[in-house]
């Protein structure tokens, strides 16, 4: 039994880590949304597109891995959220399909829609992708409207465990101001990370100076929305779980207590926030181009800590607003012990995969993007 509990916590940690990596890689979307803001000429826009275009597969692959890991380790969440709140996930999928098509076809001769149309698609993905993902994750703290009835699995006419309690099927999350705050925080964070990445990846003094000036706008907007969401989360009632009976109940300051009662998570959170701020401040007051590495690492640690607060310490990570006892926890929504054990063995290969990603990333970025390189590269986007 203790092994099973450990595996549940271990796999929520893996899910949270993947979530942190996904938010970091959303700098690709942030860069797309800044295409015409920072790029004033066609050659500048081409440098920006190629800077993010060489990384978009990393974001898409991480998103798929995040969903796949959720499906394998916590299948009830997968069937409840992806099967019930399907409009949100379909919109997210559509955004990423537009992104893939746009990168591949915008520079192809004779494309039917024209280059500007595909660039518009990139901007749509750059705006809606982070906002929708952030809004969806906001339901981990603010709840969603679903009902779980495991007994219904024996109903031959309709063997469906989870049902959605309203016809909006996930779109209602956009009517919760705190979900939207997190969505906008993720959006502006993606733009901040993109600016820091451009400063590091593009060897062009004009673009770097323009990026530094833009950082004065994007960073405060990110901090306003993030702090609004974060402070509200700390002072509001959270969804606690009785470890003996499994009953879900509201507990005041639940997420604040989670940080206090899990000091290691609190340290991760503080370290993450400090690194994000350091990465932002360095390019503002120095000529440093390394801000993305500080803010990037800080982003992963901060998101990891927030998601651990949502699932660990007897907390319902996917609360139900329609029926409190239908709320999902890491214990009532996880896979069997056998499945988690097999997956844990497989997860030991993850460091090798990360090492390959690091190698591939370094190989792509070993030379900075320059105007001359892009203009003479026939394979450029």
């Amino acid at each position: 039994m203790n092994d099973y509990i450990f595996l549940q916590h271990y796999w929520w940690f893996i899910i949270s880590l993947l979530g942190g990596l996904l938010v970091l890689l959303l700098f690709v979307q942030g860069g797309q949304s800044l295409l015409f803001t920072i790029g004033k000429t066609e050659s500048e826009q081409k440098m920006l597109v190629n800077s993010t275009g060489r990384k978009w597969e990393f974001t898409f692959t991480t998103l798929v891995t995040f969903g796949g890991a959720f499906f394998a380790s916590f299948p009830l969440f997968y069937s409840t959220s992806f099967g019930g709140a399907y409009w949100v996930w379909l919109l997210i999928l559509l955004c990423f399909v537009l992104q893939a098509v746009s990168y591949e076809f915008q520079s192809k001769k004779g494309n039917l829609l024209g280059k500007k149309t595909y660039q518009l698609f990139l901007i749509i993905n750059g705006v809606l992708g982070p906002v929708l993902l952030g809004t969806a994750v906001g339901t981990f703290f603010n709840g969603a409207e679903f009902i779980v009835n495991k007994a219904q699995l024996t109903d031959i006419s309709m063997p469906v465990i989870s049902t959605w309690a309203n016809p909006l099927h996930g779109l209602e999350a956009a009517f919760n101001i705190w979900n939207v705050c997190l969505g906008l925080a993720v959006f502006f964070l993606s733009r901040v990370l993109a600016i820091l990445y451009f400063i590091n990846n593009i060897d062009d003094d004009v673009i770097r100076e323009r990026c530094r000036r833009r950082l004065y706008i994007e960073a405060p907007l990110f901090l306003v929305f993030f702090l609004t969401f974060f402070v509200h989360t700390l002072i509001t009632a959270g969804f606690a779980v009785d470890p003996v009976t499994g009953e879900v109940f509201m507990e005041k300051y639940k997420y604040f207590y989670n940080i206090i009662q899990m000091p290691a998570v609190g340290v991760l959170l503080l370290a993450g926030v400090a690194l994000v701020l350091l990465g932002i401040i360095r390019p503002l007051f120095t000529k440093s181009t390394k801000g993305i590495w500080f803010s990037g690492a800080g982003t992963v640690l901060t998101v990891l800590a927030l998601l651990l607060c949502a699932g660990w310490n007897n907390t319902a990570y996917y609360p139900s607003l329609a029926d409190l006892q239908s709320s999902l926890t890491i214990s009532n929504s996880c896979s069997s012990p056998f499945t988690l054990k097999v997956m844990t063995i497989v997860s030991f290969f993850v460091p090798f995969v990360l090492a390959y990603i690091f190698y591939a990333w370094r190989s792509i970025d070993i030379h900075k993007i320059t105007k001359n390189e892009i203009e003479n590269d026939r394979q450029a986007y």
Side-chain angles (χ1 to χ4, degrees):
M1 185 64 179
N2 288 335
D3 289 344
Y4 193 25
I5 294 173
F6 168 78
L7 291 173
Q8 292 166 355
H9 284 75
Y10 172 78
W11 274 99
W12 185 254
F13 175 85
I14 296 296
I15 294 293
S16 301
L17 180 59
L18 287 171
L21 292 171
L22 176 59
V23 174
L24 163 61
L25 292 170
L26 287 178
F27 79 84
V28 174
Q29 277 61 38
Q32 292 166 188
S33 70
L34 291 165
L35 180 59
F36 295 113
T37 303
I38 294 178
K40 302 300 183 182
T41 66
E42 186 173 350
S43 61
E44 289 174 351
Q45 292 164 7
K46 197 170 183 179
M47 283 192 285
L48 296 176
V49 167
N50 279 270
S51 180
T52 57
R54 296 173 183 180
K55 298 294 187 301
W56 74 266
E57 291 100 333
F58 289 99
T59 310
F60 190 80
T61 301
T62 305
L63 176 63
V64 172
T65 304
F66 178 74
F70 240 135
F71 170 73
S73 55
F74 300 99
L76 188 53
F77 167 80
Y78 193 89
S79 64
T80 300
S81 183
F82 288 76
Y86 52 76
W87 283 121
V88 173
W89 297 111
L90 282 175
L91 286 173
I92 292 172
L93 179 60
L94 176 61
C95 285
F96 279 89
V97 169
L98 285 177
Q99 179 194 46
V101 171
S102 298
Y103 275 120
E104 293 303 320
F105 288 97
Q106 64 173 308
S107 296
K108 293 289 178 67
K109 292 183 178 180
N111 68 71
L112 295 175
L113 301 179
K115 186 174 184 178
K116 291 295 182 183
T117 301
Y118 287 114
Q119 289 179 337
L120 178 61
F121 288 164
L122 288 179
I123 293 174
I124 291 173
N125 171 260
V127 174
L128 289 184
V131 171
L132 289 172
L133 281 170
T135 301
V137 172
T139 60
F140 285 15
F141 299 90
N142 300 306
E145 299 188 18
F146 61 91
I147 298 173
V148 175
N149 182 7
K150 294 184 179 181
Q152 195 167 313
L153 190 60
T154 59
D155 187 346
I156 299 177
S157 62
M158 190 178 179
V160 178
I161 296 178
S162 305
T163 55
W164 214 253
N166 66 62
L168 295 177
H169 290 282
L171 294 180
E172 73 280 355
F175 297 99
N176 183 305
I177 188 173
W178 308 115
N179 292 340
V180 175
C181 272
L182 183 57
L184 290 173
V186 172
F187 168 65
F188 286 112
L189 174 62
S190 72
R191 287 163 72 94
V192 168
L193 293 173
I195 289 171
L196 296 175
Y197 183 70
F198 288 151
I199 291 173
N200 177 263
N201 184 241
I202 300 177
D203 188 7
D204 186 276
D205 291 337
V206 174
I207 286 181
R208 282 176 173 170
E209 182 57 33
R210 205 173 285 154
C211 283
R212 288 189 170 93
R213 291 200 304 267
R214 192 69 197 180
L215 204 54
Y216 282 104
I217 299 173
E218 305 297 335
L221 288 171
F222 156 64
L223 290 173
V224 166
F225 285 108
F226 174 73
L227 290 175
T228 299
F229 169 81
F230 183 63
V231 171
H232 170 265
T233 301
L234 292 183
I235 65 176
T236 194
F239 299 84
V241 182
D242 188 310
V244 178
T245 65
E247 179 186 3
V248 180
F249 60 95
M250 302 304 296
E251 180 181 337
K252 198 170 184 180
Y253 308 127
K254 172 59 178 170
Y255 300 108
F256 173 75
Y257 289 145
N258 280 359
I259 295 174
I260 300 300
Q261 294 166 4
M262 297 187 293
V265 174
V267 170
L268 280 179
L269 181 61
L270 290 175
V273 172
L275 284 171
V276 170
L277 294 176
L278 179 60
I280 293 172
I281 291 171
R282 280 173 63 91
L284 291 178
F285 298 100
T286 70
K287 292 297 184 180
S288 172
T289 62
K290 306 297 183 183
I292 181 61
W293 303 117
F294 293 98
S295 288
T299 296
V300 174
L301 294 180
T302 302
V303 176
L304 171 62
L306 288 174
L307 290 178
L308 291 179
C309 284
W312 281 6
N313 199 39
N314 301 313
T315 310
Y317 72 83
Y318 199 46
S320 172
L321 301 177
D323 173 28
L324 198 58
Q325 301 315 311
S326 292
S327 301
L328 302 186
T329 69
I330 62 173
S331 61
N332 69 12
S333 63
C334 64
S335 294
S336 67
F338 175 77
T339 301
L340 293 183
K341 286 179 181 178
V342 172
M343 288 172 55
T344 299
I345 295 173
V346 174
S347 74
F348 294 153
F349 293 96
V350 169
F352 298 98
V353 177
L354 292 177
Y356 172 75
I357 292 173
F358 176 79
Y359 170 77
W361 187 294
R362 185 171 178 80
S363 298
I364 294 172
D365 277 3
I366 195 168
H367 299 294
K368 306 296 183 186
I369 290 178
T370 64
K371 187 178 298 185
N372 183 61
E373 176 212 346
I374 293 300
E375 289 176 350
N376 293 285
D377 185 0
R378 294 183 178 182
Q379 301 298 321
Y381 288 113

